[in-house]
Amino acid sequence: IFSMVVIGGITRLTRSGLSITEWNLLLGAIPPLNEHDWQDCYAKYQQSPEFKLVNSDMGLSEFKYIFWWEYVHRLIGRLTGVVFFIPFLFFWAKKKLTPKLVKRSLLLFVLGGLQGALGWFMVSSGLQDDPHVSHYRLAAHLIMAFITFGVCLWFALDLIQEGSKEEHSLQSGTDKLRIVALITLPITVLQIIYGAFVAGLHSGKIYNTFPKMGDHWVPDEITAMTPWWKNLFENISTVQFIHRILAWMLLLLTLTTWIYATRLQISGSIKRALNLLMLVLCIQFTLGIITLLYAVPIVMGVIHQIFAFFLFTSVVYYLHQTKVSRT
């Protein structure tokens, strides 16, 4: 799943996502094997709006470059399904899975299937008249990947904890830390969604200054669209502004929690989880600034998305540790 997110980010930043214009679950796993196959794929791409309106001067060799990124992205998705499903069948046949774990495994399988469906749903939006994928569908595709990973990680941490002999008891302040963790998670998810909006609308290409947006803390353009609610989702200035505000909220909330936790008698596991979260968040905040200042170069854009993944992982891990300390 992590590889899917990384390759997906590269696919988006290299504008490779619309290079394969059809979806075939089985036969699509076979790449072009000869010149005839390549010409066939290239001819199909030439019929797409992206080629006609954006890449009409693209030759076959350039097409191969964007094709391979999208192909690898889809291939890893297929491999993820295989890596999950074959061991699941094996352990199920051997009666190694509890009823609870069977249900959890089937949930993960469904989430993986939905992720694949959302991927094609996203790509299909860019194969119509407008050669750009919907930023709403892009956000849905990305957040589903994060949710699938988060659920997988949570189940894995439960299994690890079941096999651990370490005992935890309710400690002073743990309940409050858990409440804060429960607040931090949805803010992080919302921040990731707005990160996808920023990417889909290319709003990282404007206001490449920090901490102000140009000469203003709050640019006038954030209320330019009507009705007003469209500004929240489609105004490139507003989307970037909200992305910045959510970043500050996460930083201040986590920093305050981290300082507060130093005064509490809490388990070492919670301390480690909170320290990890604080570290990853500081790195991600810094990466966000650098990515913005340089107008989202491909390398920085990919690294920034990778650390968004690490940040989400840290939040889930921290939340799980506060759960463990209550048991």
PDB file of all heavy atoms in Angstrom, residues 35 104 176 226:
ATOM      1  N   GLU A  35       6.370  -4.267 -30.848  1.00  0.00           N
ATOM      2  CA  GLU A  35       6.095  -2.963 -31.453  1.00  0.00           C
ATOM      3  C   GLU A  35       4.616  -2.813 -31.812  1.00  0.00           C
ATOM      4  O   GLU A  35       4.048  -1.728 -31.693  1.00  0.00           O
ATOM      5  CB  GLU A  35       6.959  -2.780 -32.709  1.00  0.00           C
ATOM      6  CG  GLU A  35       6.924  -1.380 -33.283  1.00  0.00           C
ATOM      7  CD  GLU A  35       7.496  -0.326 -32.341  1.00  0.00           C
ATOM      8  OE1 GLU A  35       8.294  -0.693 -31.449  1.00  0.00           O
ATOM      9  OE2 GLU A  35       7.143   0.861 -32.490  1.00  0.00           O
ATOM     10  N   ARG A 104     -12.234  -9.302   9.779  1.00  0.00           N
ATOM     11  CA  ARG A 104     -11.314  -8.186   9.552  1.00  0.00           C
ATOM     12  C   ARG A 104     -10.601  -8.330   8.211  1.00  0.00           C
ATOM     13  O   ARG A 104     -10.406  -7.350   7.491  1.00  0.00           O
ATOM     14  CB  ARG A 104     -10.287  -8.118  10.689  1.00  0.00           C
ATOM     15  CG  ARG A 104     -10.870  -7.627  12.005  1.00  0.00           C
ATOM     16  CD  ARG A 104      -9.793  -7.428  13.059  1.00  0.00           C
ATOM     17  NE  ARG A 104     -10.277  -6.609  14.161  1.00  0.00           N
ATOM     18  CZ  ARG A 104      -9.499  -6.045  15.072  1.00  0.00           C
ATOM     19  NH1 ARG A 104      -8.194  -6.234  15.029  1.00  0.00           N
ATOM     20  NH2 ARG A 104     -10.010  -5.297  16.032  1.00  0.00           N
ATOM     21  N   LYS A 176      -7.100  11.732  28.710  1.00  0.00           N
ATOM     22  CA  LYS A 176      -7.029  13.023  28.024  1.00  0.00           C
ATOM     23  C   LYS A 176      -6.197  12.921  26.752  1.00  0.00           C
ATOM     24  O   LYS A 176      -6.544  13.521  25.726  1.00  0.00           O
ATOM     25  CB  LYS A 176      -6.451  14.079  28.968  1.00  0.00           C
ATOM     26  CG  LYS A 176      -7.355  14.421  30.146  1.00  0.00           C
ATOM     27  CD  LYS A 176      -6.714  15.470  31.033  1.00  0.00           C
ATOM     28  CE  LYS A 176      -7.625  15.800  32.212  1.00  0.00           C
ATOM     29  NZ  LYS A 176      -7.030  16.802  33.133  1.00  0.00           N
ATOM     30  N   THR A 226     -18.785  32.232  -6.241  1.00  0.00           N
ATOM     31  CA  THR A 226     -20.163  32.133  -5.748  1.00  0.00           C
ATOM     32  C   THR A 226     -20.792  30.859  -6.319  1.00  0.00           C
ATOM     33  O   THR A 226     -20.511  30.491  -7.469  1.00  0.00           O
ATOM     34  CB  THR A 226     -20.997  33.355  -6.172  1.00  0.00           C
ATOM     35  OG1 THR A 226     -20.947  33.497  -7.597  1.00  0.00           O
ATOM     36  CG2 THR A 226     -20.511  34.618  -5.505  1.00  0.00           C
TER      37      THR A 226
END
